[in-house]
Amino acid sequence: MRSKHRWRAAHRVPVTISAVLAVCVTPAVGPASPASPGASAATTTVAAPTPAGDAAVQAGRVMENLGRGVVAVRSSNTQVLVSWRLLGLDPEGIGFNVYRSTGGGAFVKLNSSVLTGGTNYQDSTADLARSNSYRVAPVVGGQEQAPSGAFTLTASHTVEPVVRLPLRSGGPVKFVWVGDLDGDGEYDYVVDRQTSPQKLEAYSSDGDFLWEVDMGPNSQNQDNIEPGSSAIDLGHWDGVTVYDFDSDGRAEVALKIADGVRFGDGTTWTHDNDARQFMAVLDGRTGALRNWSAVPTTYLGDGPMAARLGVAYLNGTTPSLVAYMKNRRDDGAFNLMMGAWKFDGDSLDRQWTWERGNQDAPDGHNTRAIDVDGDGTDEVAEIGFVLNGNGSLRYSMGPKGVIHGDRFHLADMDPSRPGLEGYGVQQDNPSGLLEYYYDAANGSVIWKHNGGPADVGRGMAGDVDPRFPGMEVWSFSGLYNAPTNRLTEPNASLRPWPQLGLWWDGDLTMELLNDGKIEKWDPARPTSSGSLPRLVSTWNYGAVTAAQGGPTFVGDILGDWREEAVYTNASHNELIIFSTNQPTNTRLYTLAHNPAYRNAMTFKGYMQSHHVDYFLGAGMATPPRPNITYAGGGAATVGASARPAGTRR
């Protein structure tokens, strides 16, 4: 390890641990008593008592107070598709009016009657040689409410399903996170830079640069198995997530830090031991440190821990930061620790840690946080085990023959069956197990497929065949209807590539996102992976793929319930956000107000599709209203959507 007396740029302001403690009003809860690295049993350490009543299901989890997310794209030479959010707490029967301002003039209503179908509108009358700004006004009980912020489409804008945001010049981008950093109700962006040392940058929803964090010299070791103590976004590790952890209406940035990390306000974190790590919460507006908590030193003897971070509502009402952390022992085996922290706007307190020890609890390359048993509180799931909200082991599928694997999904795959189901794939399972389908609440296996040990590197779940009820699941053994364990196409080779799903074209079945292609598997005319009908080729719009041939982000961040895919250009100085150019009559509240889906947006790992906690597919029922309230004291009021929005290119 390097000496503590080393690299410091002259303009940096060193911040020692003691200095940080002086700044932070309430120090974070300290680490649990260290155990030996060879601890032989799984343990859960509760770092602070749970407040009375937190274990009970409470009325509504606090989620983002979002605006309408109005977006407009040129869908043809003569048309513009305008799209906006239906919010989770919008009243039943809410309608909308769409307004356009041309060349900076007065806003004029475009629709002749109130719109009560899909939250999108095809404008065929615009003078596209001039700039056009669009906004929407909700209508409740026949009364028009305050209008939304406006989205401006520039004059003579290119015909493309794209929103472009400028970035500063910099290195390649692997991941993008979204959160409302400034409290205006629209998503802002946090971007990594795969440089040495690594960087984090924040941008407003309009592309204005906000701040930079330098991850320091301990991010220069970018080995994807044993990375440096402050390295981020390597392999299936991320070490960063973005969310409104204290529910004040503005998102924070959570990240794993170590010696040498320089924050957005120019202060630098220092510590004598380069292997010591800390969870930190930064102000989303400035990148300055809000508070920190030490990562337990249980496995410190084996070096720093790589981490995956995300969000779970462990008490059912307010968010926690959850972390999956591993390092490698000299014998090649891995130590696994999982933990949860709570940020209340002042202190960052560790709630619990769980250590696997030698228990048979198989992990993978993704983490999901979702309410698997329907009690209103979230569990934290890995490919072969699930932790309860208090950090205790709910179940492990290891004793049932499940081992490590790359990908798994949790969703309502069978709407005729109560609860959620899971689907996972295996990596060289000696028993020959390839893929399995199970009850997400208790881990009982419903069906499985064997065929000989194989590294099944991909697995997908989504409704792609409306002829069969529920979702399909597939890896490389054929496309199976999950509820019936039946091949939807007898020729197993005529199945799509199991990469990512995406809702794009407006019907209820899922489209696919594979290596820069938005595709549609057609059950009436099935084709193999390499020849699916293509809706969009992202490279035609200057986009380059990032990790594993994918985007930097997928999620519902603009417009109606369809999803966006975020890429950069080859110069890495522009975000290219693909947003649908196809209208739909389907009305669903924004997926970002669905608890399971919004949790999933906070996790990276090997990037996977997000799922809502209801069945979304052909023949679906109307989903129930989400049991949420809005952050920052926001109530279920329509007028809260009147927020400004700037010009996008």
Side-chain angles (χ1 to χ4, degrees), residues 427-453:
Q427 182 173 314
D428 299 320
N429 192 315
S431 73
L433 180 63
L434 300 175
E435 54 189 353
Y436 54 99
Y437 177 70
Y438 60 100
D439 186 314
N442 57 33
S444 60
V445 176
I446 300 171
W447 57 253
K448 59 184 178 179
H449 296 154
N450 287 65

Side-chain angles (χ1 to χ4, degrees), residues 160-471:
E160 58 180 8
V162 163
V163 176
R164 298 179 185 270
L165 293 182
L167 300 177
R168 299 196 309 172
S169 295
V173 174
K174 180 175 181 179
F175 287 140
V176 170
W177 297 262
V178 299
D180 182 6
L181 302 178
D182 55 14
D184 70 350
E186 304 302 340
Y187 282 127
D188 308 300
Y189 303 90
V190 175
V191 175
D192 69 8
R193 294 289 190 175
Q194 295 299 295
T195 52
S196 184
Q198 295 170 310
K199 307 288 179 62
L200 276 180
E201 297 172 353
Y203 295 83
S204 74
S205 59
D206 298 324
D208 295 329
F209 172 75
L210 300 177
W211 49 260
E212 174 190 273
V213 169
D214 186 324
M215 298 307 296
N218 282 307
S219 69
Q220 291 174 339
N221 170 13
Q222 297 175 11
D223 180 88
N224 68 357
I225 295 177
E226 298 181 284
S229 53
S230 63
I232 59 174
D233 298 349
L234 306 166
H236 61 103
W237 311 112
D238 47 56
V240 180
T241 199
V242 177
Y243 203 71
D244 182 6
F245 287 101
D246 61 356
S247 302
D248 69 347
R250 294 187 299 270
E252 290 77 39
V253 177
L255 71 163
K256 173 179 58 66
I257 64 170
D259 181 58
V261 172
R262 187 185 69 205
F263 303 117
D265 61 353
T267 58
T268 300
W269 181 272
T270 67
H271 194 277
D272 290 351
N273 185 344
D274 283 357
R276 282 301 306 272
Q277 296 169 300
F278 306 84
M279 289 297 170
V281 172
L282 309 186
D283 189 301
R285 295 165 294 179
T286 66
L289 179 67
R290 295 283 299 278
N291 216 325
W292 59 275
S293 178
V295 171
T297 57
T298 310
Y299 301 122
L300 186 62
D302 292 310
M305 305 194 82
R308 259 194 325 260
L309 304 185
V311 169
Y313 284 71
L314 302 176
N315 64 6
T317 56
T318 55
S320 293
L321 169 67
V322 296
Y324 162 104
M325 300 172 285
K326 290 178 81 171
N327 63 6
R328 198 174 197 178
R329 304 200 302 258
D330 289 342
D331 63 4
F334 289 90
N335 301 309
L336 172 60
M337 177 190 297
M338 300 184 75
W341 283 261
K342 175 74 75 174
F343 179 65
D344 64 3
D346 183 10
S347 64
L348 178 64
D349 298 322
R350 181 162 50 86
Q351 297 171 278
W352 50 258
T353 54
W354 178 84
E355 298 158 11
R356 179 170 60 184
N358 64 1
Q359 186 170 2
D360 188 2
D363 62 317
H365 295 302
N366 293 90
T367 304
R368 293 185 182 271
I370 188 171
D371 178 9
V372 300
D373 59 356
D375 70 350
T377 65
D378 288 335
E379 286 74 41
V380 182
E382 286 290 319
I383 198 168
F385 70 91
V386 172
L387 300 182
N388 291 309
N390 63 3
S392 62
L393 182 66
R394 180 177 181 86
Y395 65 79
S396 172
M397 300 176 70
K400 301 173 184 178
V402 171
I403 66 167
H404 172 87
D406 278 4
R407 287 167 170 79
F408 77 109
H409 298 261
L410 296 175
D412 188 2
M413 302 185 196
D414 182 354
S416 69
R417 185 180 185 275
L420 306 177
E421 293 78 39
Y423 168 73
V425 299
Q426 294 284 270
Q427 182 173 314
D428 299 320
N429 192 315
S431 73
L433 180 63
L434 300 175
E435 54 189 353
Y436 54 99
Y437 177 70
Y438 60 100
D439 186 314
N442 57 33
S444 60
V445 176
I446 300 171
W447 57 253
K448 59 184 178 179
H449 296 154
N450 287 65
D455 183 356
V456 185
R458 300 287 188 276
M460 250 302 291
D463 185 16
V464 296
D465 193 336
R467 301 173 301 174
F468 296 82
M471 289 187 181

Side-chain angles (χ1 to χ4, degrees), residues 608-631:
Q608 293 196 111
S609 296
H610 313 319
H611 297 287
V612 293
D613 56 16
Y614 57 86
F615 173 68
L616 203 172
M620 67 178 288
T622 301
R625 183 183 178 95
N627 184 23
I628 65 174
T629 61
Y630 293 150

Side-chain angles (χ1 to χ4, degrees), residues 46-79:
V46 179
T50 302
D54 264 6
V57 178
Q58 302 186 31
R61 62 181 71 197
V62 184
M63 296 187 70
E64 293 154 316
N65 191 6
L66 295 173
R68 291 293 166 192
V70 177
V71 63
V73 297
R74 285 280 302 272
S75 53
S76 74
N77 287 330
T78 59
Q79 292 180 313

